[in-house]
Amino acid sequence: MACSKIRKVDAENRTFKDEWTDKYMFILPAASSKPLCLICCENVALIKSGNVKGHYETKHRSFEEMYPQKSAVRASKTIELKAQYDRSTRVITHAFTGQQRANECSLKIAWILAQHKKAFSDVTVVKECLNAAAETLLDGKLKDDMCEKIKKIPLSATTTTRKTELSAEDVLAQLDAAVQNAACISLAIDESTDVTDNAQLLVYVRFPHKEKKEMCEDMLGSTPLETHTRGEDIYEGIMEMLTKRKINLKQVVSVTTDGAPAMVGREKGAVARMKQDNPDLIAYHCIIHQTVLCAMNTMMKLINYLRASSSHQHRLLREFLKEMDADANDLLLHNNVRWLSKGNALERFWSIRKEIAAFLQQLKSQKATQFANFLQDKHKMDVVAFLVDITGHLNELNLKLQGQKNSICDLMKTVRSFQIKLDIFKEDLQADCEHFPQMHEQIQGERDISPYVGFIDKLIGNFCQRFDCFNLGHQLLLLIENPFLIREIRGFSKEVTQTFKWAHPGSLQLELTDLQADVALRSHFETTDSATFWLQIVPETMFPGLTKVALHTLTMFGSTYSCETAFSSMNIIKTKYRSRLTNEHLHMSMRLALTPFKPRFKLLAG
């Protein structure tokens, strides 16, 4: 039986044809045998016409429609993509020396520690782990060589601090370049007090990344507010950040805040001052913060009394709950900064309220007696039951609004839905309390429900006050969610011009008509998300007005969630370092922990 020969592709002497660059947007990188796509930077396995053609026609059919063959716009785009690839590969061409590789290792280790919010001094533990792994996995000369290489990696707390500084400066430079090239940006602003009782101002930025063709969020900056937290102080802190990043306030499309008076005061608030510099600035308030709830003070004091006033009492409480086989073995400590805290603390308390009442009766202090009497008051517990239910609904709302890259469309859709639910809740209170299970269980017989209905009325008013002044029209939101469903084209252009004064209604009407008639774009929309559709699929040259409106809308933050997560990271970092961390190093560590950009290690180590 004849032996079959194994086919060797390398021996076939295939050559890359220059025409494939213009025809299929492929190049052959130096010292590589795999053609690379300029559009998505993916390689195909072989230098073969069928491979490059198949990749292009399968993955980049829309590119052919936007940039037709032998057109001037295609030639220009080809030059742009080749230049972009050249810039990305121009980092280092010479071979790294051993010490440069050691420096690169040191940079990467420092970056990983910062990503996980670890102290600079933890790097010594990393070095011990590397040595232990090398000694365990390797033998003889290999082990000796690896241990010698690990020994050359500069790993000390001081060196790691310096490497972290270099990496932070590099990702900040990348952010600056991306922001300055962005067509528009939006800001999310929040002020809070950290674990060391210092007021901190934090600003996040969102913008369409020109090269990556995606929406990008990053921390623009943070600064301590040394004395006061007035609107004037916040405004000055914001403007100082914008000046450092070389951002003109007129570039800013919108600003999202937590709704605090210092932020939104009509005359002296930070937003009002910003609007004096940019009258077209769109401002709205995030609702993932403290929703105003009443009748909670006693409950929070009770939980904190049992949970935090005495470690000995806390241990007794946990042991008592175990003995009673309660549904939970501890209370949750309420935290004003974190979302969902009040609702979760109340829900946990309600599940073990009978055991808590029994435990309080065993304590002899006057305060314990007062709390025990509170739990025996039927009317007050009716109120608590209502609060457990309503905070549960508010927590559900907040959970839907959490997550990075949530757009203003997500915010408006969720808020409008919840406003309708509030009317349902109001009617339900006057009927069978189907949406208030704890209250239904607690309240037996005829009770006065007017205070609870009044509370729902106040919530309805609160939502109206926050969002009626900023109300993106339904047709404008449809442009992002599904532009092919817009039927009232004149109504759409009217809504757009009410929000964006620069928009031209006539051009928008014609562009929308052309867009809806494009079968190829319609099919692309069905298989991709809205941000990708507007950033990567819709050709800006054909639909300039619609693209600009879409990008401005997508840029708007849906909440201050990013700021709140950054505050959580800040507190974790400050807790680990205590008072040993300067503000400069704090902000540097936060940037590396939160940024979507990655340090250019080879460039920094070279």
Side-chain angles (χ1 to χ4, degrees):
M1 186 174 175
C3 295
S4 60
K5 292 184 177 180
I6 298 175
R7 181 183 174 194
K8 294 185 178 180
V9 175
D10 294 341
E12 294 183 7
N13 296 320
R14 288 180 174 161
T15 57
F16 183 85
K17 297 181 180 179
D18 292 338
E19 64 190 53
W20 292 351
T21 300
D22 297 325
K23 201 170 183 180
Y24 306 123
M25 306 306 295
F26 268 83
I27 61 170
L28 185 66
S32 175
S33 60
K34 295 182 178 181
L36 179 134
C37 176
L38 287 171
I39 302 171
C40 64
C41 293
E42 290 184 7
N43 293 96
V44 295
L46 301 174
I47 304 175
K48 189 176 178 182
S49 175
N51 286 40
V52 295
K53 181 181 179 181
H55 175 95
Y56 178 77
E57 292 181 348
T58 303
K59 296 191 174 184
H60 306 301
R61 194 172 298 171
S62 61
F63 187 88
E64 181 72 23
E65 296 164 2
M66 288 187 282
Y67 305 99
Q69 294 278 353
K70 299 182 180 180
S71 64
V73 67
R74 187 183 182 94
S76 175
K77 187 64 177 179
T78 305
I79 293 171
E80 179 187 339
L81 289 174
K82 289 174 74 175
Q84 182 178 324
Y85 173 76
D86 290 340
R87 285 196 301 272
S88 67
T89 56
R90 202 185 299 152
V91 181
I92 289 181
T93 56
H94 65 275
F96 261 23
T97 65
Q99 189 55 52
Q100 286 172 322
R101 291 186 184 279
N103 285 334
E104 185 181 358
C105 287
S106 179
L107 284 162
K108 288 185 175 180
I109 291 169
W111 178 63
I112 291 170
L113 288 174
Q115 287 265 296
H116 292 276
K117 309 175 189 71
K118 299 297 183 182
F120 299 144
S121 56
D122 287 356
V123 74
T124 55
V125 179
V126 174
K127 195 161 189 175
E128 286 181 26
C129 292
L130 290 174
N131 280 314
E135 290 173 358
T136 305
L137 295 174
L138 304 174
D139 292 309
K141 190 174 185 304
L142 284 176
K143 182 178 77 172
D144 295 338
D145 289 346
M146 181 56 69
C147 290
E148 186 62 29
K149 288 177 180 178
I150 292 172
K151 188 177 180 180
K152 289 181 179 178
I153 301 174
L155 292 176
S156 67
T158 304
T159 303
T160 304
T161 304
R162 178 57 188 152
K163 300 298 183 186
T164 305
E165 290 172 356
L166 288 172
S167 297
E169 290 169 3
D170 183 63
V171 297
L172 185 57
Q174 293 180 57
L175 172 64
D176 286 343
V179 168
Q180 287 163 20
N181 287 330
C184 53
I185 66 172
S186 287
L187 304 177
I189 305 170
D190 202 359
E191 176 269 322
S192 186
T193 303
D194 62 28
V195 290
T196 57
D197 206 27
N198 291 320
Q200 300 279 353
L201 174 66
L202 200 144
V203 179
Y204 252 74
V205 62
R206 174 187 274 182
F207 58 93
H209 198 292
K210 193 172 183 179
E211 292 183 0
K212 294 182 180 179
K213 297 291 183 183
E214 63 183 18
M215 297 306 299
C216 183
E217 278 185 25
D218 200 358
M219 186 178 74
L220 185 67
S222 62
T223 185
L225 300 173
E226 301 291 352
T227 52
H228 302 288
T229 57
R230 303 167 300 184
E232 178 184 355
D233 304 300
I234 294 173
Y235 169 76
E236 289 177 356
I238 295 168
M239 295 308 297
E240 182 181 350
M241 285 185 212
L242 294 178
T243 302
K244 280 184 179 179
R245 305 276 70 83
K246 298 178 181 178
I247 297 172
N248 189 329
L249 186 56
K250 294 190 182 297
Q251 274 183 272
V252 181
V253 175
S254 68
V255 57
T256 310
T257 69
D258 62 355
M263 292 283 188
V264 299
R266 289 188 178 182
E267 296 181 3
K268 297 184 178 181
V271 173
R273 294 171 184 269
M274 293 172 72
K275 281 191 171 184
Q276 292 176 2
D277 300 326
N278 181 6
D280 293 332
L281 183 68
I282 300 170
Y284 51 99
H285 316 320
C286 169
I287 59 172
I288 299 185
H289 229 263
Q290 296 180 33
T291 307
V292 180
L293 297 175
C294 59
M296 270 199 175
N297 288 341
T298 305
M299 283 305 309
M300 294 303 111
K301 287 178 181 177
L302 166 57
I303 291 171
N304 290 338
Y305 166 71
L306 292 173
R307 180 71 169 74
S309 64
S310 165
S311 57
H312 174 64
Q313 182 171 278
H314 183 209
R315 289 194 298 272
L316 291 176
L317 172 63
R318 285 186 298 184
E319 189 62 31
F320 180 81
L321 293 174
K322 286 180 183 178
E323 292 175 1
M324 297 290 288
D325 195 23
D327 291 340
N329 59 9
D330 203 355
L331 288 167
L332 295 180
L333 190 62
H334 166 55
N335 184 340
N336 269 316
V337 175
R338 295 179 183 271
W339 321 279
L340 318 180
S341 179
K342 284 182 179 178
N344 289 342
L346 275 176
E347 184 180 8
R348 174 66 64 84
F349 164 80
W350 189 258
S351 68
I352 54 175
R353 64 191 184 283
K354 294 178 182 177
E355 290 84 358
I356 294 296
F359 179 74
L360 285 170
Q361 289 175 356
Q362 294 181 2
L363 301 179
K364 304 300 182 183
S365 69
Q366 182 179 356
K367 186 173 286 189
T369 303
Q370 292 174 351
F371 286 134
N373 293 336
F374 174 83
L375 296 183
Q376 292 172 357
D377 190 312
K378 183 71 174 172
H379 173 70
K380 290 178 180 177
M381 293 308 291
D382 291 349
V383 175
V384 174
F386 169 75
L387 289 176
V388 172
D389 288 324
I390 195 64
T391 52
H393 291 307
L394 289 168
N395 279 3
E396 184 181 350
L397 168 68
N398 284 341
L399 282 169
K400 289 180 180 179
L401 294 174
Q402 287 187 25
Q404 289 186 331
K405 298 189 177 179
N406 274 357
S407 69
I408 189 65
C409 300
D410 300 313
L411 169 71
M412 297 307 299
K413 182 170 56 179
T414 306
V415 167
R416 284 173 179 170
S417 173
F418 192 76
Q419 285 178 306
I420 296 171
K421 288 179 182 178
L422 285 175
D423 290 325
I424 296 173
F425 295 157
K426 182 178 175 181
E427 293 176 4
D428 184 53
L429 280 172
Q430 301 172 71
D432 51 8
C433 292
E434 184 176 344
H435 299 290
F436 295 86
Q438 310 305 335
M439 186 177 174
H440 179 72
E441 177 189 346
Q442 172 70 19
I443 298 179
Q444 302 294 331
E446 293 292 329
R447 291 295 176 93
D448 181 17
I449 58 151
S450 58
Y452 313 122
V453 174
F455 182 86
I456 298 294
D457 282 331
K458 287 181 180 178
L459 267 184
I460 292 171
N462 183 269
F463 273 78
C464 290
Q465 182 182 1
R466 279 176 176 254
F467 292 99
D468 281 0
C469 59
F470 172 72
N471 192 12
L472 290 182
H474 176 67
Q475 302 291 327
L476 176 53
L477 293 179
L478 266 183
L479 178 69
I480 306 301
E481 294 171 350
N482 193 337
F484 301 97
L485 294 181
I486 298 175
R487 296 290 176 261
E488 296 291 332
I489 294 181
R490 284 187 176 275
F492 161 74
S493 62
K494 183 178 179 181
E495 286 183 2
V496 172
T497 52
Q498 286 175 348
T499 304
F500 303 112
K501 307 301 182 185
W502 43 260
H504 189 273
S507 300
L508 292 175
Q509 293 168 14
L510 297 179
E511 288 180 25
L512 182 58
T513 303
D514 290 338
L515 179 76
Q516 292 182 340
D518 195 313
V519 178
L521 288 176
R522 183 186 292 267
S523 65
H524 278 298
F525 183 83
E526 293 172 355
T527 58
T528 187
D529 62 90
S530 56
T532 303
F533 177 74
W534 285 106
L535 285 163
Q536 299 181 16
I537 307 298
V538 177
E540 187 176 356
T541 52
M542 294 176 64
F543 305 98
L546 286 181
T547 303
K548 186 176 180 181
V549 170
L551 292 185
H552 276 61
T553 307
L554 285 167
T555 299
M556 298 181 188
F557 279 92
S559 69
T560 56
Y561 175 84
S562 296
C563 294
E564 294 290 352
T565 53
F567 278 126
S568 296
S569 296
M570 176 187 292
N571 285 333
I572 290 171
I573 294 169
K574 293 204 81 167
T575 300
K576 289 180 178 179
Y577 282 94
R578 299 296 178 184
S579 59
R580 292 175 286 124
L581 193 67
T582 64
N583 279 318
E584 182 182 354
H585 285 147
L586 168 66
H587 303 153
M588 176 182 69
S589 298
M590 286 176 62
R591 181 164 301 284
L592 289 184
L594 300 167
T595 184
F597 295 97
K598 188 174 181 179
R600 294 167 290 191
F601 299 112
K602 290 188 181 299
L603 182 64
L604 296 173

